[in-house]
Amino acid sequence: MKPSAKNLSTGIPGLDRVVQRLLPGDNIVWQVDSIEDYLPFVEPYCEDAVRKGKKLVYFRFARHPELVGQESGAEIHRLNPEVGFETFTAEIHKVIERSGRGTFYLFDCLSDLAADWYSDLMLGNFFMVTCPYLYELDTITYFALFRDGHSFEAVSAIRDTTQLLIDVFRHGGSLYVHPLKVDQRYSPTMYLPHVRDGGEFRPLTESAVLSEVLAQITSQRVESIPRTLDIWDRKFLQAREILEDVKKGRQQSKESADIFLRLLRMMVTRDERVIALASRYLDLPDLLDIRKRMIGTGLIGGKSVGMLLSRAILARTDGRWRDRMETHDSFYIGSDVFYTYLVRNGLWKARRDQRNPLSFLGGAKGARKKILSGTFPSFLCGQFLAMLEYFGQSPIIVRSSSLLEDSFGNAFTGKYESVFCPNQGSPQERLDAFLSAVKAVYASTMSEEALLYRAHRGLLERDEQMALLVQRVSGAIHGHLFYPQIAGVGLSYNPFAWSEYIDPQAGMLRLVFGLGTRAVERTDDDYTRLVALNAPQRRPEADFGEVVEFAQRRVDALDLSANRFVSLNVDDVVKVSPNLPIDMFAARKEPAGGRSKSAALSRCVLTFDRLLSATPFVADMKEMLAVLRDAYEYPVDIEFTANFLGDESYRINLVQCRPLQVKEGGGILPLPRTVARKDMLFESRGPIVGQSSRTAVDRLIYVDPSAYGKLSIGERHSVARLIGRLTHVEEKEGKKTILLLGPGRWGTKMPSLGVPVSFAEIASVSVLCEIVYMGTNIVPNVSLGTHFFNDLVEANMLSLAVFPKGKGSCLNESFFLRSRNRLPELLPEDSEWSGAVRVIDVPARKGGRKLVLNANTLKQRAVCYLD
């Protein structure tokens, strides 16, 4: 129940009578032609509030002169809208929360927010999340808005949300107010224009006077069409006019350069490092082309920027790339659409709460469910449908492209969803599937993994808006399947040099046949082809038997008849693809004489040998990575597809490019000549991925392969959660250097193949060791280019494998089993797992021995020993 309206006033008794007094929770929007028309209402309002002992808060953020000064008695908060919608709104809401109930507020003119955010849509969103919050706290709040300066949608959002909307204008030297909305109050003359007459506001009741005043005011205002345009569209119209004038010599190129930088910040990026790069390789026509394929407003996000920028770099460096590259016709869904979706579906509070480092996971699960069941405004659905009509029934993929994603310093690899849409069925069915895909990506922003990543990297309070990149899936129809012939990941720096003949600077590829999901995700039941670009025929495998054993067996594709994503056996895919140049990718292997039963099942062995030796593909990819690396002045990581055409030429589709956070080199110290057997913990001959280093290890966390192999699937998940708790134990001694050892693959989704930890659970570990044991031939799949690999790189984590029975390798199991296990004292409630998990501290005593890991990634050898 609302408190009494007694003592609530505009400070102008005559105006109070027009609107039938103010009520607790009232938000009053003054629609004005200039700030000078706002001031006559601001001054008496503030004076009355202070005189009655009300707390008065003034939010100062606009370019116009201050509305009130310090002497007014107002608590002034100076804010900068350029920090972005989310941060700006959060700062205001914090002040509102601290100020409590019944506070009086004064805002600068809201129109400046649209100018700073380049979006009327976000202005409407700001009002929709702030006005109800103020209403709940029984406040009185004044806002101003410039008339005819905003789109119909933005003004409608404000009108629908506010309690009072009052038009202010001047005519014949007099000041008029015209209430357009007054919630829960009414009088026979309330919605008529009122002219100020001394201290009163007198309604205009004569038709002759009303028509004369309003007709003259309307004739003085702007045309009706520009009134419906967003500030965003007006800026692009201006850019087109400037470009046309420059072409015709009517305007200087300086105006073109100025509008280019403005549009770059509006739509592409606000990262100064990326702005500098984009300014060298993009131009004004490029930005206008982006706008043509954009839905909504705001930024297009890091993934879109990387794709566009890398293509521009190649095209401007050497024109031949235009012929070698597959043309892209992607669409972009602006970041403002994401916030609009959250606001319109009542999710803003959940989003705001995720900025709190103490409770950011609290409502995430409920928020995800609400996102998946939300609805889009009709004006957006219409644009989505038009885009789908353009693509027809071609398969598309909806990819995350957040503001911080794929940037210098934060890759966010695998933290957000990307969803394939086979895009089959009726227009409505295709639209429904597309909307579900968009919601899935939006919901992934509130996944536990994404939020933990942001928290770990100190990004919870940064604006992290989600834009989307909608791409045509590269490939062709083969029977009822759709897939590309080649897909993969390329790194301009190869951190896994498995031979002294491999040059890390030449880069590497991780190739798959079919959709690239098998290249970027760590597939537990399959393998990929690793290619060192300076020595493409030199493989990690020792002989053809191993090549067969560790070749890709399954293919990811889109089943058009079933309208879904599928994973199929290689031979099954080849059978329905009669026009496929399979000999370019595969060798034939007959069942008889196969190295093992599993190898004998497949007649096609995906070696990619002819692709790598008989075409210029390797040279093209090596040059592409070098050109991009040199332009970025930083190692790069790309995702690509490639398809051969009927004339045996091929086209490369560059779908993603981002800075690769890998640290090159590392200190290589001589490995010890000999180590006493009792002092050796383990020795590895690879694979080893990461920087060469000599590291003193404080703590070992060891999952006993034998004990782990006897656990049920549920118990293995419990062990994984325990590992997460152990790596985050806080102790007086401070952070420890942790070496984590366990059977099979870390981070697997299949507990039968390893320990199913999430990366967030092991992010504080320094060295990750996979023990190839468990009684099966589980081989650690070198995960270069996968999401898991990028997590390792960002955490500067060394990853290696130990084959206890392999040549030149060993594992001193007795050391782990006889050493004191600290698990019961660190986590007494988990002591039941002491048989499977052992925590061993090796304190470095002065003058005593310490535990050292010496890893040489170039020679693919690592030794862990007591020194």
Side-chain angles (χ1 to χ4, degrees), residues 122-138:
M122 296 310 291
L123 169 61
N125 288 338
F126 170 76
F127 197 83
M128 289 178 71
V129 298
T130 303
C131 174
Y133 192 30
L134 292 163
Y135 178 81
E136 290 173 9
L137 295 172
D138 300 325

Side-chain angles (χ1 to χ4, degrees), residues 28-50:
I28 303 100
V29 177
W30 302 90
Q31 197 165 251
V32 298
D33 289 315
S34 69
I35 286 299
E36 286 68 29
D37 291 346
Y38 187 29
L39 291 174
F41 306 98
V42 167
E43 292 167 359
Y45 164 73
C46 294
E47 290 171 1
D48 185 74
V50 173

Side-chain angles (χ1 to χ4, degrees), residues 13 18 141 150 200 229 233 273 279 316 389 490 524 550 729 732:
V18 171
T141 309
H150 304 286
E200 294 296 322
L229 290 179
D233 292 314
R273 196 165 177 180
S279 297
R316 280 165 170 72
E389 288 171 347
D524 288 321
F550 305 133
V729 168
K732 291 183 294 183

Side-chain angles (χ1 to χ4, degrees), residues 443-686:
S444 69
T445 65
M446 299 192 185
S447 71
E448 184 172 323
E449 188 174 9
L451 291 171
L452 286 169
Y453 178 91
R454 290 178 63 192
H456 182 70
R457 301 186 69 79
L459 301 173
L460 285 177
E461 295 196 6
R462 291 277 299 277
D463 258 24
E464 175 59 342
Q465 304 172 45
M466 178 56 74
L468 299 173
L469 173 61
V470 183
Q471 293 178 299
R472 182 188 300 276
V473 178
S474 174
I477 297 175
H478 301 273
H480 63 285
L481 300 177
F482 187 100
Y483 61 87
Q485 297 166 11
I486 310 163
V489 172
L491 309 181
S492 67
Y493 178 82
N494 184 356
F496 177 38
W498 57 85
S499 162
E500 64 271 21
Y501 297 104
I502 290 173
D503 177 12
Q505 299 294 340
M508 59 77 59
L509 304 178
R510 178 179 167 95
L511 286 180
V512 296
F513 175 66
L515 293 173
T517 42
R518 291 197 165 249
V520 299
E521 295 172 5
R522 200 176 192 220
T523 310
D524 288 321
D525 60 348
D526 212 350
Y527 300 91
T528 60
R529 173 71 156 97
L530 296 182
V531 181
L533 287 173
N534 77 305
Q537 299 301 321
R538 192 170 289 277
R539 304 186 58 132
E541 298 86 0
D543 54 41
F544 186 70
E546 285 193 2
V547 168
V548 173
E549 187 70 36
F550 305 133
Q552 178 187 349
R553 297 186 182 91
R554 298 184 67 77
V555 180
D556 288 348
L558 298 177
D559 186 330
L560 301 183
S561 59
N563 202 18
R564 64 188 180 93
F565 177 96
V566 293
S567 295
L568 303 170
N569 183 276
V570 171
D571 289 321
D572 293 335
V573 173
V574 172
K575 284 175 187 175
V576 300
S577 309
N579 298 320
L580 183 72
I582 188 62
D583 291 340
M584 188 66 70
F585 319 116
R588 297 286 176 175
K589 176 72 173 70
E590 296 303 323
R595 172 181 165 85
S596 70
K597 183 179 179 182
S598 60
L601 292 177
S602 177
R603 288 192 305 109
C604 285
V605 181
L606 290 168
T607 63
F608 300 96
D609 284 346
R610 188 165 167 232
L611 169 72
L612 301 175
S613 62
T615 74
F617 180 73
V618 168
D620 281 343
M621 297 308 296
K622 184 178 179 182
E623 181 185 345
M624 177 186 288
L625 287 166
V627 168
L628 294 174
R629 177 200 63 208
D630 292 346
Y632 272 77
E633 298 178 350
Y634 207 87
V636 295
D637 164 6
I638 66 170
E639 292 180 24
F640 63 90
T641 63
N643 295 281
F644 280 83
L645 306 179
D647 59 0
E648 295 193 355
S649 66
Y650 58 84
R651 296 290 181 274
I652 301 170
N653 188 19
L654 182 56
V655 298
Q656 184 173 328
C657 179
R658 61 182 163 223
L660 175 66
Q661 313 303 329
V662 67
K663 293 180 173 62
E664 302 177 27
I668 300 178
L669 296 175
L671 291 162
R673 288 179 180 273
T674 57
V675 176
R677 188 177 183 84
K678 63 183 180 61
D679 294 333
M680 177 80 77
L681 270 67
F682 65 78
E683 182 170 2
S684 168
R685 295 289 178 160

Side-chain angles (χ1 to χ4, degrees), residues 39 98 149 275 307 313 362 430 493 545:
L39 291 174
R98 288 197 306 266
I275 285 173
M307 183 271 292
I313 289 168
R430 289 186 283 125
Y493 178 82

